[in-house]
Structure formats: C-alpha cells, structure tokens
Amino acid sequence: METLIVDKSKGRVEVLPDLEALSLRSASIFVNASANSIAAKKRFAVAISGGSTPRRLYALLGSEGYRDRVDWQQVHFFWADERCVPKEDEASNFRAAFDALLSKVALPEKNIHRIKGEEAPDQSARDYEEEIRRFSGGLGWPVFDLIILGMGEDGHTASLFPGSKSVEETARLAVPVYLGEPKKNRITLTLPVLNNADQILFLVTGFSKAAVLSEIFEEKERGKILPAALVNPTHGSMIWLIDQEAARELRKRRV
Ligand code: 6PG
C-alpha cells in the first residue's frame, strides 16, 4: 500500500494494487471502526453504498475469515442511497448487501434500516429520515460512525449527481432524485449528513475514474464542485482507498 499526499482537506489517500487488496484493506478498516465504536458507544451505525466496487468488501465481511471479527448484534446498517425498486430487484442496493453480507451474519433484523425503494420516492425519503431520527434520537444532524461511498466517472457519490438540486440540500437528511424513468429514480442521503460522519471511506477503482480523481485531487475548477469533492467531514476523518488504475493520473507526491 502506498500513501499519496494530496490536499489535506481530502483526507488520506491510499493506493492499493487492485480491487482485492483494496477490499481487504477496507474490511480491516470496517472491523476496527466497528470495534472502536462498539467499545465507546455499544453500537456501530454504518451507511453503505451500492455499485460494483464495495461488493467484494461485503462478501469478505460475510465470509468465514471475518464473520466472527465483528459483534453484529451491535451493528446497525443504513444506506447512503437506494434505487427506486423493490428490495428483491437486481438493481436494489439493499439486495446486493443482503445477498453478500447481511444474510450471512448474526445481524438482528431490527438492525437493518433500509430505504424502501418500492415506495413513492418522496414518501420513502421522508420515512427514511424519520427512521434515522428515531435511531439517532434527535433533531440535529445524525452522526454515522462510518459511511462507505463510491464515486462515478462523473464525480457523483451516493446518488448526489453533478448539477442536481439534491447536492444543494441543507435541511433534509434524505431526498428523492428523479432521473427520468421511475426505476432510475433514487433516494440519497444529503451532503450535510455525509459531512457529519465520524468516518468516511471512499472506495474507487478502475482507470475510468482516473480523470475525475485528478480533477478532484488537483483542485481543477470543475473538480471543486463535483459532489464527491464536496464530501469534507466537518469533524470526522476521511480515507480514500483507490487502486493503481484509478490513481494513474494523480501526480505522485510520496510521503
Ligand atoms: C449506487 C451507488 C453509487 C456508486 C457509484 C460508483 O447506488 O450506484 O451508491 O454512488 O457508488 O455509482 O459505482 P461503481 O462502484 O459501480 O463504480
């Protein structure tokens, strides 16, 4: 693993050889974060993302080698975003995590706080907000112990897309994102929630993401306004795990 120094506000950037190494590294970060949070607060609230990159991480955490290294009774799963589809649907972020991880570990059903993609988008976003408030017990911004995010080639993260109104949301915890067709619509956590997390973990792989990473890390004009670039924890920490392919454009300034 190689650490790159980029703009301090971007947190720590670690370059791993490939998806497998990145997934193993993220699994150990998950295990440590859960242990620390459970020791301190008797709970670990984590919000996870969809997409292809975190799937290997979920499979690892649900596997023999990791299953017993986390006290799943104290872990609460939330989602950074969801597609507006039923939970059985192939495109469902809940289903992807359920098949790879949640169904493989001793996690109480009440600890699964999913976004109901099958409901009307705005109602689902409001219900999810209520669920988060019920869990975090208050009206202020909730503090997730860990939020796992990916990034698209266009610089979107969760379902916060460049130029979308959802990126400017300052009051709600979760909002609907209308992308034309109903099945394409999404529900996403908003930036203030992401930026209030104790720890943010970005997982980014593949050369298709190299150009946008360089725009973000080298603070090019467009790079400054991309949703992924607007994730800057106010009090928490942030780690970007990227693979060699995704790091190819980044000017290397070694430690
Ligand atoms: C989703 C995600 C989304 C994802 C990026 C990257 O629901 O799709 O939450 O934000 O993280 O699109 O996706 P890949 O990991 O597949 O490149």
Side-chain angles (χ1 to χ4, degrees):
M1 186 258 297
E2 171 197 0
T3 301
L4 282 186
I5 293 228
V6 291
D7 176 281
K8 283 272 170 296
S9 71
K10 292 283 169 280
R12 183 185 168 86
V13 179
E14 297 178 12
V15 181
L16 292 304
D18 53 27
L19 177 63
E20 186 62 17
L22 183 141
S23 304
L24 289 163
R25 174 77 178 115
S26 55
S28 76
I29 291 172
F30 185 103
V31 169
N32 294 336
S34 67
N36 296 341
S37 179
I38 292 167
K41 298 183 244 187
K42 298 201 174 11
R43 61 134 224 217
F44 177 59
V46 56
I48 60 176
S49 283
S52 55
T53 311
R55 291 196 179 197
R56 180 66 187 131
L57 162 65
Y58 303 152
L60 275 172
L61 291 171
S63 71
E64 207 63 46
Y66 286 84
R67 213 175 280 154
D68 308 331
R69 293 170 58 187
V70 175
D71 177 0
W72 299 105
Q73 296 295 315
Q74 312 300 344
V75 178
H76 288 261
F77 278 94
F78 293 80
W79 276 257
D81 69 331
E82 183 58 283
R83 289 85 182 279
C84 292
V85 294
K87 66 178 169 45
E88 303 76 17
D89 193 290
E90 286 268 316
S92 159
N93 288 347
F94 164 78
R95 178 171 165 193
F98 185 83
D99 293 352
L101 170 56
L102 310 186
S103 60
K104 306 266 192 299
V105 294
L107 182 77
E109 198 162 331
K110 65 176 178 42
N111 290 20
I112 299 177
H113 311 268
R114 78 178 177 90
I115 303 173
K116 298 199 173 63
E118 66 274 20
E119 282 179 7
D122 192 60
Q123 189 53 49
S124 177
R126 290 186 190 285
D127 291 352
Y128 189 47
E129 179 157 341
E130 238 176 77
E131 173 78 4
I132 295 171
R133 289 205 184 290
R134 229 190 333 271
F135 176 80
S136 56
L139 287 177
W141 293 106
V143 181
F144 282 100
D145 302 303
L146 176 67
I147 300 184
I148 299 173
L149 296 172
M151 184 192 69
E153 293 166 29
D154 61 355
H156 81 260
T157 191
S159 284
L160 298 165
F161 292 91
S164 144
K165 257 189 330 107
S166 57
V167 178
E168 285 140 37
E169 180 61 45
T170 56
R172 293 177 63 177
L173 308 187
V175 291
V177 180
Y178 299 100
L179 300 172
E181 289 157 53
K183 281 196 87 172
K184 288 223 173 109
N185 292 339
R186 308 270 189 108
I187 291 131
T188 187
L189 287 179
T190 57
L191 271 174
V193 175
L194 301 183
N195 286 333
N196 205 43
D198 271 352
Q199 190 172 9
I200 294 275
L201 178 61
F202 268 105
L203 308 181
V204 182
T205 61
F207 184 62
S208 67
K209 312 273 175 80
V212 73
L213 274 179
S214 121
E215 284 191 86
I216 290 175
F217 290 146
E218 288 158 24
E219 302 249 299
K220 295 178 183 154
E221 268 331 290
R222 197 179 80 95
K224 291 180 186 158
I225 54 165
L226 292 171
L230 300 173
V231 178
N232 292 311
T234 46
H235 64 271
S237 63
M238 179 157 68
I239 300 178
W240 290 75
L241 299 185
I242 60 181
D243 73 352
Q244 291 281 1
E245 285 301 298
R248 261 166 65 186
E249 302 281 341
L250 287 181
R251 273 196 301 273
K252 295 198 165 151
R253 291 190 306 232
R254 296 176 179 282
V255 175

